[in-house]
């Protein structure tokens, strides 16, 4: 099944009617969308597969999935009249209190139209203005019918994207086109527009909400995951889970199996040992009585053609062998949607710094700090003296730590941005703990990689990343997550009886470096042609001699800078897709 597509227009009724008469085809629907909501100041079109519900008395429309409850979650098939009124009056706030989901809500109340994007942002939401109207849309190509696809490339976006990798803010690659960030509501009334954040991770991460008992934390993670993960895909026909054999995808598999769901599992096998996780995936499949398909990497050239037009560059092309294998298997088996455990590291607080030591010291004192010191040393295969040094260094840096890490590799001076664009989740409170800051930052980082659509077009589900589970995990102190020197320790304990002990005690992670390094080596000439004679070079954004020197080296790469090269290639191809 393809991902949901929608287009909404709101504004003065006369202007809206005139716009629709001029730009909507005679059939009444642009891009084969259905006209699903029709009010004087709000008209919405959506694709046939879109899940939605209309509020009573034309108060609005919710596109996506909406649930209530965390211990025994259930799909909200229909909001009551009171719930609809409250949702419109509160401008969506009530939909995030006692309810949760993956949705965009369009709400009408007393002349105002408000649009809310639910956290963590698994339904896309972009907006622009035209002719006095507010236009909201899920995909860039939907703007073509409205003659709104002629915006210019935003030069500041290019600098931000290059200087602050993986920081996804409201700015997009086209001028005047913006993203409605997760947990944000945008309201318009009588020509006045306001933007506010009504959900932030910092409320859940507040010190007074922390769960200090390890057993209680594990029990609640288990309870919440078992309730919230399956319900998100229970209505999907023949879902396909990418079962890597790592902890996160294994937890998703356990949740779906416990719910009695039927699904397929597939494991991608690289040609080199570092990405071959078959042993772990087989253990999980055997313990849960799943049939496991093993998809072997096939060598082939990278597809370095410009992608379909989008508001941001797509993910790096280096993972194409994985995507091709999964897409082929999905077609062969008739699987409709993809399911992934991606984001589990971010959710389950996989930190590799000494910050939890400082958190424990600040909250519980010296004894807790010493215990965490030992855990950090064990986790890093180091000793307590090294761990103490790292903690002291982090303490000295303190709040001088930058909001986002810069990366100036291969960039010309003219490409460097100043301060990073703002993101409401990075606006941390003064009493924020160092480790919890890193936990929240990791949840911001994963937004860059959350695409609701697989590269082949099918819907892609990230069921671990749901509001109740995110809020719960933020409420667990960082030092509990590495209890015993194991990362994600709370999650491991939560599923101790459902997953094989070898998987639960695993300290290594499958890696795809060898596959990616080989792709770089085999395609070096093509990469050089793209970058040295392309848009980035013409715009003066890359340090051409530095790129040329790196690509001219013989043999395989000796560092990880080749990943940075692939990211530059992704931006280059995206720029070419917007050539007129």
């Amino acid at each position: 099944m393809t991902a949901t597509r929608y287009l909404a227009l709101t504004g003065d009724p006369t202007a809206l009617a005139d716009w629709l008469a001029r730009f909507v085809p005679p059939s009444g629907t642009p891009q084969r969308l259905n006209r699903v909501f029709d009010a004087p100041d709000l008209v919405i079109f959506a694709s046939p597969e879109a899940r939605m519900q209309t509020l009573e008395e034309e108060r609005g429309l919710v596109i996506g999935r909406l649930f209530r409850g965390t211990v025994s979650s259930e799909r909200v098939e229909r909001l009551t009249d009171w719930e609809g009124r409250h949702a419109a009056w509160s401008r969506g706030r009530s939909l995030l209190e006692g309810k949760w989901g993956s949705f965009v809500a369009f709400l009408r109340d007393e002349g105002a139209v408000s649009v809310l994007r639910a956290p963590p942002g698994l339904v896309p939401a972009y907006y622009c203005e035209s002719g006095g109207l507010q236009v909201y849309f899920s995909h860039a190509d939907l703007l073509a019918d409205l003659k709104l696809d002629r915006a210019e490339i935003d030069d500041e976006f290019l600098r931000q994207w290059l200087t602050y990798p993986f920081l996804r803010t409201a700015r997009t690659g086209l001028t005047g086109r913006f993203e409605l960030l997760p947990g944000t509501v945008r309201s318009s009334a009588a020509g006045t527009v306001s933007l506010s954040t009504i959900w932030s991770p910092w409320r859940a991460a507040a010190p007074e909400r922390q769960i200090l008992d390890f057993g209680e934390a594990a029990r609640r993670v288990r309870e919440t995951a078992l309730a919230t993960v399956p319900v998100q895909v229970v209505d999907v026909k023949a879902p396909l889970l990418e079962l890597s054999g790592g902890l996160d995808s294994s937890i998703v598999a356990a949740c779906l199996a416990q719910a009695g769901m039927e699904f397929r599992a597939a494991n991608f096998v690289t040609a080199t040992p570092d990405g071959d996780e078959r042993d772990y995936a087989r253990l999980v499949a055997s313990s849960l009585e799943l049939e496991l398909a093993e998809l072997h990497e096939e060598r082939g050239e990278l597809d370095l053609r410009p992608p379909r037009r989008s508001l941001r560059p797509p993910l790096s092309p280096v993972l194409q062998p994985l995507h091709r294998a999964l897409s082929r298997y999905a077609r062969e088996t008739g699987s409709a949607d993809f399911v992934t455990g991606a984001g589990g590291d971010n959710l389950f607080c996989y930190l590799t710094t000494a910050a939890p030591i400082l958190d424990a010291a600040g909250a519980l004192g010296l004894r807790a700090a010493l215990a965490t010191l030992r855990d950090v040393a064990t986790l890093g295969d180091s000793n307590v003296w090294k761990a103490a040094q790292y903690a002291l260094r982090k303490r000295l840096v303190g709040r001088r730590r930058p909001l986002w890490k810069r990366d100036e590799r291969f960039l010309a001076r003219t490409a460097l941005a100043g301060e990073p664009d703002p993101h409401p989740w990075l606006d941390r409170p003064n009493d924020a703990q160092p480790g919890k800051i890193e936990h929240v930052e990791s949840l911001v980082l994963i937004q860059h990689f959350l695409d609701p659509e697989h590269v082949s077009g099918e819907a892609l589900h990230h069921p671990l990343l749901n509001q109740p589970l995110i809020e719960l995990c933020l409420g667990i102190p960082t030092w509990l997550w590495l209890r015993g020197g194991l990362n994600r320790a709370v999650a491991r304990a939560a599923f101790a009886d459902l997953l094989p002990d070898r998987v639960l005690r695993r300290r290594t992670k499958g890696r795809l470096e060898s596959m990616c390094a080989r792709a770089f080596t085999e395609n070096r000439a093509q990469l050089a042609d793209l970058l040295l004679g392309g848009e980035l070079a013409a715009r003066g954004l890359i340090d051409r001699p530095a790129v040329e020197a790196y690509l001219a080296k013989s043999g395989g790469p000796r560092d990880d800078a080749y990943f940075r090269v692939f990211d530059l290639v992704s931006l280059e191809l995206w720029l070419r897709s917007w050539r007129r």
Side-chain angles (χ1 to χ4, degrees), residues 137-411:
F137 54 97
S138 61
H139 293 72
D141 62 353
L142 293 174
L143 296 180
D145 282 343
L146 302 183
K147 313 302 181 186
L148 295 175
D149 60 340
R150 302 188 183 280
E152 300 297 323
I153 298 295
D154 186 340
D155 291 334
E156 179 59 22
F157 168 83
L158 300 179
R159 288 188 285 269
Q160 289 282 332
W161 194 93
L162 288 165
T163 310
Y164 298 104
F166 315 136
L167 176 55
R168 183 168 182 151
T169 67
R171 188 190 299 272
T172 75
L174 299 184
T175 56
R177 306 328 181 222
F178 302 95
E179 180 168 7
L180 188 64
L181 295 177
T184 299
V185 62
R186 188 171 186 266
S187 301
S188 57
T192 301
V193 178
S194 63
L195 189 69
S196 58
T197 300
I198 63 173
W199 185 95
S200 167
W202 288 110
R203 181 180 178 187
E208 64 272 15
R209 298 186 64 173
Q210 299 292 284
I211 304 169
L212 299 179
D213 181 75
F214 184 87
E216 173 69 5
R219 181 189 67 79
R220 291 184 59 183
V221 166
R222 173 193 176 92
E223 181 181 73
T224 305
L226 288 174
T228 59
V229 169
V231 72
Q232 296 175 78
V233 292
V234 71
D235 57 348
V236 174
K237 180 182 178 181
L240 173 60
L241 171 66
E242 182 188 347
L243 182 60
S244 68
L247 179 66
D248 306 322
S249 62
S250 298
I251 287 177
V252 174
C255 290
L256 300 183
Q258 280 292 108
M261 288 188 57
E262 293 186 7
F263 63 98
R264 298 181 184 276
N267 175 255
F268 178 68
V269 184
T270 61
T272 49
D274 62 341
D276 186 349
E277 301 181 84
R278 278 176 293 181
D279 289 348
Y280 294 105
R282 288 169 179 171
L283 284 171
V284 175
S286 176
S287 67
L288 299 177
E289 299 182 351
L290 303 175
E291 181 179 342
L292 178 68
E294 296 176 355
L295 313 179
H296 291 261
E297 174 192 353
E298 293 184 7
R299 304 280 287 272
E301 291 187 359
L302 295 181
D303 184 353
L304 297 176
R305 294 172 297 177
R308 67 176 183 272
R309 288 183 170 181
S310 61
L311 294 184
R312 285 192 178 88
L315 297 181
S316 170
V318 74
L319 296 180
Q320 286 179 6
L322 167 63
H323 296 151
R324 282 197 296 261
L326 287 170
S327 297
R328 185 183 304 112
Y329 179 72
R331 290 194 302 269
E332 292 171 352
T333 58
S335 297
D337 291 14
F338 291 92
V339 181
T340 175
D345 286 350
N346 314 75
L347 175 71
F348 298 137
C349 196
Y350 187 176
L351 302 184
T352 58
T353 73
I357 301 172
L358 302 180
D359 291 5
L364 299 180
L366 182 60
R367 185 175 180 179
L370 291 175
T372 306
L373 185 67
R374 290 190 291 270
D375 289 337
V376 169
T378 301
L379 181 63
D381 291 323
S382 183
N383 56 63
V384 294
W385 305 112
K386 280 282 189 184
Q389 282 183 325
Y390 292 137
L392 178 60
R393 188 180 306 162
K394 185 167 285 289
R395 175 69 180 272
L396 293 174
V397 171
R399 298 193 65 80
R400 291 184 289 110
R401 186 171 182 267
L403 285 178
W404 204 261
K405 185 177 180 180
R406 292 171 67 90
D407 191 343
E408 300 183 5
R409 291 176 297 174
F410 302 125
L411 299 186

Side-chain angles (χ1 to χ4, degrees), residues 4-61:
T4 295
R5 299 164 64 84
Y6 68 84
L7 172 70
L9 300 100
T10 180
D12 174 75
T14 301
L16 179 56
D18 178 64
W19 181 275
L20 292 170
R22 286 188 293 129
F23 289 108
V24 174
S27 62
T29 59
Q31 292 266 343
R32 297 179 300 280
L33 303 182
N34 296 326
R35 196 162 180 159
V36 296
F37 189 87
D38 206 337
D41 58 353
L42 175 63
V43 174
I44 305 174
F45 303 92
S47 52
E49 70 277 359
R51 293 170 173 84
M52 67 189 77
Q53 54 181 293
T54 304
L55 279 60
E56 297 288 344
E57 299 180 9
E58 293 188 336
R59 292 191 183 93
L61 182 78

